[in-house]
Amino acid sequence: MSAKTLDEPARRFEELLGPGSVITDPVRLRTYECDGLTHHRATPGVVVLPESAEQIAAVVRICNEYGLPFVARGAGTGLSGGALPRTDGVLVVTSKMRRILSVDVPNRRATVEPGVTNLAITEAVRDLGYYYAPDPSSQQVCTIGGNVAENSGGAHCLKYGFTVNHVVGLEIVTPDGDIVELADVDSGYDLLGTFVGSEGTLGIATKVVVRLSRLPETVTTLLAAFEDIERGGRAVSAIIGGGIVPAAIEMMDALAVEAAEAAVACAYPEGAGAVLIVELDGPAEEVAHQFGEVTRICRENGAFEIRVADDPVERAAIWRGRKSAFAAVGRISPAYIVQDGVVPRTALPEVLARIDGLSREYGIRVANVFHAGDGNLHPLVLFDDAEPGAGERAEIVSGRILDLCIEHGGSITGEHGVGVDKSRYMPKMFSDDDLDTMQLVRCAFDPRGLSNPGKIFPTPRLCGEVPGVRKGVHPLVESGQAEHF
Amino acid sequence: MEALHETGVTVHPATPDRTVGGVLPRWVALPESTDEVAALMRVSAAHDLAVVPAGGGTKLGWGDPPERCDLLIDTRRLLLGNGSTVEHSAGDLVARVSAGLALDVLDSTLSRFGQELALDGVPRTGTVGGMLATAVAGPRRFRYGTARDLLIGITVVLADGTIASSGGNVVKNVAGYDLGKLFTGSYGTLGVITEAVFRLHPIPADRRWITVERVSQAGAGHGTAALVTELAAALAEPSAIELDRPDPLGAPTLSALVEGVAAGSRAETLRRLMDGYGSALITAEAPAWWAVPPGADVLLELRVPPAAAHLALRAVAARGLPARVRGSVASAVLRVALPADVGEAAFAGFVTGLRDDLRELGGGLTVLTAPPEIARRVDRWGPSGALPLMRRIKERFDPDRRMSPGRFAGGI
Ligand SMILES: Cc1cc2nc3c(=O)[nH]c(=O)nc-3n(C[C@H](O)[C@H](O)[C@H](O)COP(=O)(O)OP(=O)(O)OC[C@H]3O[C@@H](n4cnc5c(N)ncnc54)[C@H](O)[C@@H]3O)c2cc1C
């Protein structure tokens, strides 16, 4: 579609939203050409910055009139190209929808607009003794709308679950422009749970009701250094096997530690082949008991140094290295790919050994940072983009890591989503029938395929008409209490 | 029927004990694999047979009676691909189970490894598939969530015989849509659930219940409401907070569960808190009514935002029927039982009136089970703004309306 065909809808958007909320200038449009996965780029046809659900609904209806695809965008921190715009379509940015609409402590919930950042929710309720549990590392900037779309997790999802376990209500604009509320108190299909994690393909979230969690009585964070990954891995298995569910268990290998050291001087124990961070939280007595167990298990599995943090400052010092890891590899490598795959935790030692093998085979370094408790790997595949062929080799290693995850019964993504980046891997994890069945959901919500098309699914399903043989009359219909379909 | 027998699956005429909401199916089939279910569904599609999946049959009277039912697919002989009923990966705290597996069998398999599926309030003779299809959950939902929160993978057979899976064997996984969410609580209207994968939990080291009978309603904080709020926010972290009110005019009994290490001393902390509202007792066993539905014949489920639970209780009392209320008061999911002989008009009045009250509170009401004689003219599910979307889902998954037709919300 040429830029010209967008002229008329763009004018309509301006009438609707005011000129300040519509971007058509090519230079400004380029600000939005990619999300956190920067090697996929496309300049959006038009960008709109609506301020309400009604405005979003009106924008979507105009898109329907012209058959224009639309893509929602929060903060653009996504790592799978989910918010990659369409050159022939509309990018709906939620940055003007940043109000926390209500904080309701007695009901343990907050109602927010989709552009509110993840951390802003916690900041609004922390003094009241509460927080919003899912904590993606990008929480300072990423939006709750993006979290809902990606079903984002975080270091603490081992114990507390993901976005889907903490969202109790949504207001959405459907792909044909209706405003619909989905609530956990409603009867019928769990469309709330179905919408979360649908990566913007089932509509746009315009209001999010989240559950607030009580701040725990005690938090204890412990850092254990091991000679190698195997020993660290054995400690993780023994902790989980011992019936302990820590709030978080994170592991970094030597290369990742080296990078973190170069970036933030986190002063992790010298000579560590693996660093394990274990966070325990909950009632004081329970935490004290578990802390004893965890330290014992770490020692038994060869930890040569254990550090403990009981207050926020010490805790931040322990987490600093881990939290900086992604950005930090920039210090030791000109370019890198962040991978996100999952294996059953018991397969971690073997998969890590095989990743090491791949690294040698292709001459590509891989730094491993991972959520060890749930087997979610974030290998950082390092390469020098100035070196001919290095980028291609890194791509191969990165792809082969996903193959390893699938081979071990895991997943191609634990939290970053499929987006455009991984849609080609979906047929390796799912059969055609699986994917077609998922797309039945897509067709029900979005028969015209306008909401974030080209994401998740390698081949879109043509929705077509449903033949629909209608049979019988339900008593409710007869009595006029329900309409039939 | 010839074509059904040709699938090789055991099929026999239905006996009266297999009626679904009063509707007697023509045949009952006992498939032993997902492939066999698919074969049955293909035949059903070719011959326009209406199908209702069933497990232990503990909830076949739930939902509306189906408009028609030709074939009942009994899942209890279903096996996984490897010929077993449970594939337990203890080290990963994950289990893949056949939908036809009885929960008590699953419990005993897992407990040998000190693990459990943290879902209570479900009859243990019922099957995994039945539990998922009706989305029932009990007291421990306060801490662990409900079936949808613990389900990490699912395999289903659709109306046309297509076999589809989503999710997988790992707890953390965001690849593709989560069909498990859609099928949990779908009452057999979208397809047959044949396999499920669950996230497991270690069995808590210890448990204590702290119970106050007849919570004092005196004082500024409305008694029950204030106590529930305090318990829900307590740093001793109870796993469940349950209420039982046998009669609308009486004061309710409240009981909280603490689990894990130091359960004893944490219970002591809660006892001190609860003592202000009556005399609190710590026990190592659950109260007799714990996790038991308040009735069997006429059973309703009320859902409101947590802080409105006491208002929902008041609304029930104001209806003037001998209603017993019991349930997860801190999550504000309450069950109401009415006497079997309540009568059609009184029942309809109760449901409609209470539903309106609850709507004011931001909640809703579902009739879980009630004999057709009294529930004929009652909308068991209540309104939902998302009904048009739900209908579109149904049209895509089951365009011929052959899966449990009419059993679900809005006549789906
Ligand atoms: C340094 C860094 C660390 C990260 N750490 C984590 C982590 O620990 N855990 C984790 O899970 N992720 C992590 N991420 C990934 C990313 O931050 C999350 O996926 C986040 O949820 C994206 O939010 P966003 O607002 O940036 O969304 P965007 O990138 O703008 O969009 C993401 C997707 O959401 C859709 N979308 C956005 N808003 C809406 C809406 N209102 N309605 C419907 N769809 C919408 C978009 O169309 C797109 O498909 C990290 C990213 C970075 C850069």
Side-chain angles (χ1 to χ4, degrees), chain B residues 84-173:
Chain B
S84 70
T85 51
V86 190
E87 252 174 75
H88 181 199
S89 314
D92 296 314
L93 283 140
V94 160
R96 173 180 292 271
V97 299
S98 147
L101 186 67
L103 288 162
D104 51 6
V105 180
L106 177 62
D107 290 342
S108 62
T109 309
L110 302 177
S111 67
R112 283 202 287 275
F113 295 84
Q115 297 181 3
E116 64 170 352
L117 174 59
L119 275 171
D120 55 357
V122 193
R124 291 344 249 184
T125 52
T127 60
V128 165
M131 171 192 76
L132 287 174
T134 52
V136 278
R140 291 163 89 212
R141 71 192 314 144
F142 185 63
R143 171 153 185 181
Y144 299 94
T146 61
R148 55 123 46 197
D149 300 295
L150 299 172
L151 181 72
I152 59 172
I154 195 165
T155 300
V156 297
V157 180
L158 305 189
D160 65 358
T162 302
I163 300 172
S165 298
S166 83
N169 302 310
V170 285
V171 168
K172 205 169 179 188
N173 180 5

Side-chain angles (χ1 to χ4, degrees), chain A residues 126-271:
Chain A
R126 195 189 277 127
D127 289 348
L128 305 168
Y130 288 83
Y131 72 115
Y132 174 60
D135 61 338
S137 313
S138 50
Q139 67 180 164
Q140 286 196 4
V141 274
C142 69
T143 67
I144 193 73
N147 291 177
V148 165
E150 302 288 0
N151 189 17
S152 300
H156 294 82
C157 61
L158 176 64
K159 181 169 176 184
Y160 294 104
F162 318 94
T163 303
V164 71
N165 310 113
H166 297 270
V167 169
V168 298
L170 284 176
E171 176 190 80
I172 64 165
V173 168
T174 65
D176 35 38
D178 292 331
I179 299 178
V180 176
E181 278 185 34
L182 309 176
D184 69 343
V185 293
D186 277 354
S187 59
Y189 298 133
D190 183 3
L191 298 187
L192 177 69
T194 304
F195 188 92
V196 176
S198 62
E199 303 193 21
T201 62
L202 301 181
I204 301 180
T206 49
K207 203 184 279 174
V208 184
V209 188
V210 299
R211 178 183 298 123
L212 302 174
S213 304
R214 187 83 165 101
L215 284 167
E217 185 174 26
T218 311
V219 183
T220 296
T221 310
L222 161 159
L223 179 149
F226 297 86
E227 260 162 53
D228 49 47
I229 282 275
E230 286 71 46
R231 282 168 227 251
R234 276 204 298 274
V236 172
S237 290
I239 292 167
I240 305 279
I244 297 171
V245 183
I249 308 190
E250 302 283 306
M251 190 132 79
M252 293 165 74
D253 70 3
L255 195 52
V257 171
E258 183 193 319
E261 186 58 46
V264 295
C266 52
Y268 284 173
E270 224 160 290

